[in-house]
């Protein structure tokens, strides 16, 4: 902070909701060194509002405390290095400093004091709506930046510390067991959003340059026009894997080809093979789904989703799903537990209107697919939304008019956004199971038994799960 320019100090004030102070700080030319030298009397002359005075002095005091703690640790390391020069030297000393800084950050972090309206929602243990989630994330991001001494680049462990603190304080925010992943992803996205317009922060500019962001470059609107450089400016977690002209060319080609009506599927397969390493690395590191799909839009195509699953598991999931529904559909429909289910009642009414064998078989397989969670006592809303809005954030099917041969619709949703349109129930079920594996998404507990049954049959385990 001592080396900050006046503009960097002004950006720091904006991130802490102290933007009103910026004109005065510019006028008085308050740099980082001057900021840390301010005493109570100077702050009172510089800042008129008592609330702003208190916040500013608190931030300066906390930074000075952290600095003095680090200096004392440095003294200890230097003393130890004199006694044990072979142990504490070079990289070892650097790792000691890094570890001390992380431990200091971990031990000192506490959740921020949320605004009154947020406190009310949290006190009532209500799951916040979208706008309230944004407010919570905004305060967490601003608070993290304070702890990071103005840096806008937390590491993965620091994200984990903050999200864990949030979920420990408010366990009801851990929706369906996937709250950690969703809140962490939202927090990362917030930091990216804050970094994007900044033009005068040395660290941000350095990273934008490193990740291929071109200053003043306008954003394109379509997948076909989105270049890899645009995407790299947003996917800043793994820059090393996006380097190299060959990978750049493959990803640009895939984006251009996706925009076409007639696609060269053989070449698509080839280039998806070429880029699988970077794709799996991004997914394993929990990169935001929208960034993965921006780089690899063909994962929205059911065929490529199944192919990715086959590359990972050596299993043809679509073929296996067809076999499962053909074998088990009659048994599922005959179970007592589904007899009075609305899906089964709807099926029986529609069966009376048709005589074609293929249509009857299709209807029964569709009903068996949709009734699976009911059979295992799972939460059907985490499996399929039939003629209603999708509410689950984990992979889920949207099904409209399931027994109308001419107007039925199947779609796969992830994070409440449509990923792919699907032709029928077998393709839909295969896509649902594949999505959990391809995108490495933990299975919610309330749908675990159903997916365990399907996966045991897909992977042909020795003792597969059976119907109740």
């Amino acid at each position: 902070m001592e080396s900050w320019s006046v503009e960097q100090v002004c950006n720091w004030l904006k991130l802490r909701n102290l933007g009103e102070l910026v004109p005065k700080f510019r006028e008085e030319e308050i740099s980082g060194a001057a900021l840390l030298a301010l005493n109570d009397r100077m702050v009172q002359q510089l800042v008129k509002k008592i609330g702003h005075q208190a916040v500013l002095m608190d931030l300066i005091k906390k930074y000075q405390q952290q600095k003095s703690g680090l200096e004392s640790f440095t003294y200890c390391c230097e003393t130890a290095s004199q006694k044990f020069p072979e142990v504490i030297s070079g990289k070892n000393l650097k790792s000691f400093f890094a570890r001390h800084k992380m431990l200091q950050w971990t031990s000192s972090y506490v959740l921020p004091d949320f605004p009154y309206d947020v406190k009310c929602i949290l006190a009532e243990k209500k799951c916040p709506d979208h706008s309230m989630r944004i407010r919570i994330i905004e305060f967490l991001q601003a608070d993290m930046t304070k702890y990071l001494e103005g840096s806008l680049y937390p590491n993965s462990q620091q994200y984990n510390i903050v999200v864990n603190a949030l979920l420990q304080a408010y366990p009801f925010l851990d929706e369906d067991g996937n709250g950690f992943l969703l809140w962490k992803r939202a927090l990362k996205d917030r930091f990216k959003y804050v970094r994007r317009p900044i033009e005068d922060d040395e660290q941000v500019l350095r990273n934008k340059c490193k990740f291929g962001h071109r200053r003043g470059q306008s954003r394109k609107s379509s997948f076909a026009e989105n270049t890899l450089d645009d995407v790299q400016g947003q996917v800043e977690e793994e820059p090393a894997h996006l380097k190299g002209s060959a990978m750049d060319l493959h990803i640009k080609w895939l984006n251009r080809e996706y925009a076409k009506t007639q696609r060269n599927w053989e070449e698509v397969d080839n280039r998806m093979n070429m880029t699988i390493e970077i794709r799996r690395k991004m997914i394993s590191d929990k990169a935001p789904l929208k960034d993965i799909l921006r780089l690899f839009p063909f994962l929205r195509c059911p065929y490529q989703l199944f192919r990715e699953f086959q590359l990972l598991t050596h299993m043809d999931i679509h073929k296996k799903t067809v076999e499962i529904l053909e074998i088990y559909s009659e048994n599922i429909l005959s179970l007592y537990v589904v007899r009075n289910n609305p899906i089964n009642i709807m099926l029986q009414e529609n069966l009376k209107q048709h005589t074609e064998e293929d249509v009857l078989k299709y209807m029964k397989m569709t009903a068996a697919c949709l009734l699976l969670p009911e059979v295992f006592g799972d939460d059907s809303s985490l499996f399929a939304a039939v003629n209603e809005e999708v509410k689950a954030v984990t992979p889920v099917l949207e099904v409209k008019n399931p027994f109308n041969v001419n107007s039925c619709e199947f779609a796969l949703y992830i994070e409440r956004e449509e990923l792919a349109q699907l032709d029928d129930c077998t393709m839909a079920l295969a896509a649902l199971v594949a999505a959990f594996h391809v995108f490495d998404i933990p299975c919610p507990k309330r749908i675990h038994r159903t997916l365990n049954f399907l996966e045991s049959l897909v992977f042909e385990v020795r003792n597969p799960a059976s119907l109740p």
Side-chain angles (χ1 to χ4, degrees), residues 100 115 237 294 347 400 426:
H100 170 73
E237 297 296 322
R294 190 179 292 111
L347 168 69
K400 296 180 180 178
T426 56

Side-chain angles (χ1 to χ4, degrees), residues 129-409:
D129 58 18
H130 181 68
S131 62
M132 191 60 66
R133 282 173 175 269
I134 292 175
R135 280 175 59 73
I136 293 172
I137 288 296
E138 286 175 348
F139 271 83
L140 288 177
Q141 180 269 319
D143 195 58
M144 283 183 73
T145 307
K146 176 187 74 175
Y147 274 85
L148 292 167
E149 303 171 9
S151 171
L152 294 173
Y153 291 90
N155 60 37
S156 183
Q157 189 172 356
Q158 288 163 341
Y159 280 120
N160 293 345
I161 290 167
V162 174
V163 176
N164 277 326
L166 179 69
L167 297 185
Q168 286 175 8
Y170 308 104
F172 58 91
L173 296 177
D174 189 11
E175 301 175 17
D176 304 324
N178 287 317
F180 179 86
L181 174 64
L182 298 175
W183 284 100
K184 182 177 178 180
R185 183 171 293 170
L187 195 53
K188 283 186 174 183
D189 288 344
R190 176 64 190 174
F191 268 96
K192 291 176 184 177
Y193 175 80
V194 170
R195 290 193 297 259
R196 193 169 295 148
I198 294 177
E199 298 288 345
D200 50 10
D201 183 279
E202 183 181 349
Q203 186 184 19
V204 174
L205 289 177
R206 186 170 61 248
N207 279 279
K208 282 183 176 181
C209 180
K210 182 179 179 182
F211 299 134
H213 179 88
R214 294 172 184 172
R215 189 169 182 173
Q217 185 178 34
S218 60
R219 291 192 173 273
K220 309 295 196 271
S221 57
S222 69
F223 272 119
E225 296 170 332
N226 263 335
T227 66
L228 183 59
D229 288 335
D230 294 324
V231 180
Q232 285 174 337
Q234 299 171 40
V235 188
E236 296 169 349
E237 297 296 322
E238 296 295 336
H241 297 280
L242 296 180
K243 292 179 180 178
S245 58
M247 192 65 68
D248 187 342
L249 290 173
H250 288 318
I251 294 175
K252 286 181 178 178
W253 186 92
L254 288 168
N255 278 269
R256 286 196 299 269
E257 193 70 10
Y258 185 76
K260 296 179 181 178
T261 306
Q262 299 293 326
R263 295 161 179 164
N264 182 348
W265 287 108
E266 183 176 351
E267 186 62 19
V268 169
D269 291 349
N270 181 45
R271 295 191 186 243
M272 288 293 281
N273 285 346
M274 296 285 190
T275 56
I276 189 168
E277 184 178 349
I278 176 180
R279 193 161 57 250
R280 299 320 307 169
K281 177 64 176 171
M282 289 179 67
I283 291 171
S284 67
D285 288 344
K286 306 300 180 187
L289 180 64
K290 62 181 181 181
D291 289 336
I292 296 167
L293 295 176
R294 190 179 292 111
L295 283 173
F296 305 102
F298 278 100
L299 288 179
R300 293 178 177 274
C301 301
Y303 163 74
Q304 284 298 327
L305 190 66
F306 300 155
R307 191 172 178 279
E308 188 90 352
F309 183 90
Q310 190 164 12
L311 289 173
L312 297 174
T313 66
H314 308 290
M315 290 289 178
D316 185 342
I317 191 168
H318 186 235
K319 179 181 177 182
K320 295 298 298 183
T321 305
V322 172
E323 293 173 359
I324 291 168
L325 287 180
E326 286 181 343
I327 293 170
Y328 286 91
S329 58
E330 291 289 350
N331 292 339
I332 291 170
L333 295 175
S334 66
L335 294 172
Y336 178 79
V337 71
V338 304
R339 184 170 299 175
N340 296 319
N341 187 280
I343 296 293
N344 198 16
I345 294 172
M346 195 187 311
L347 168 69
Q348 300 306 323
E349 292 174 353
N350 281 272
L351 287 177
K352 298 174 184 177
Q353 303 172 17
H354 298 274
T355 56
E356 302 90 340
E357 185 176 345
D358 290 344
V359 174
L360 298 178
K361 179 182 177 181
Y362 168 82
M363 288 183 175
K364 290 179 179 179
M365 289 173 66
T366 300
C369 171
L370 300 177
L371 288 169
L372 270 173
E374 189 75 19
V375 171
F376 290 94
D378 282 338
D379 185 348
S380 59
S381 68
L382 299 178
F383 186 84
V386 182
N387 293 331
E388 60 184 29
E389 182 184 358
V390 169
K391 296 179 181 178
V393 294
T394 50
V396 66
L397 299 176
E398 182 193 55
V399 186
K400 296 180 180 178
N401 308 315
F403 303 114
N404 189 321
V405 179
N406 298 317
S407 64
C408 62
E409 296 178 12

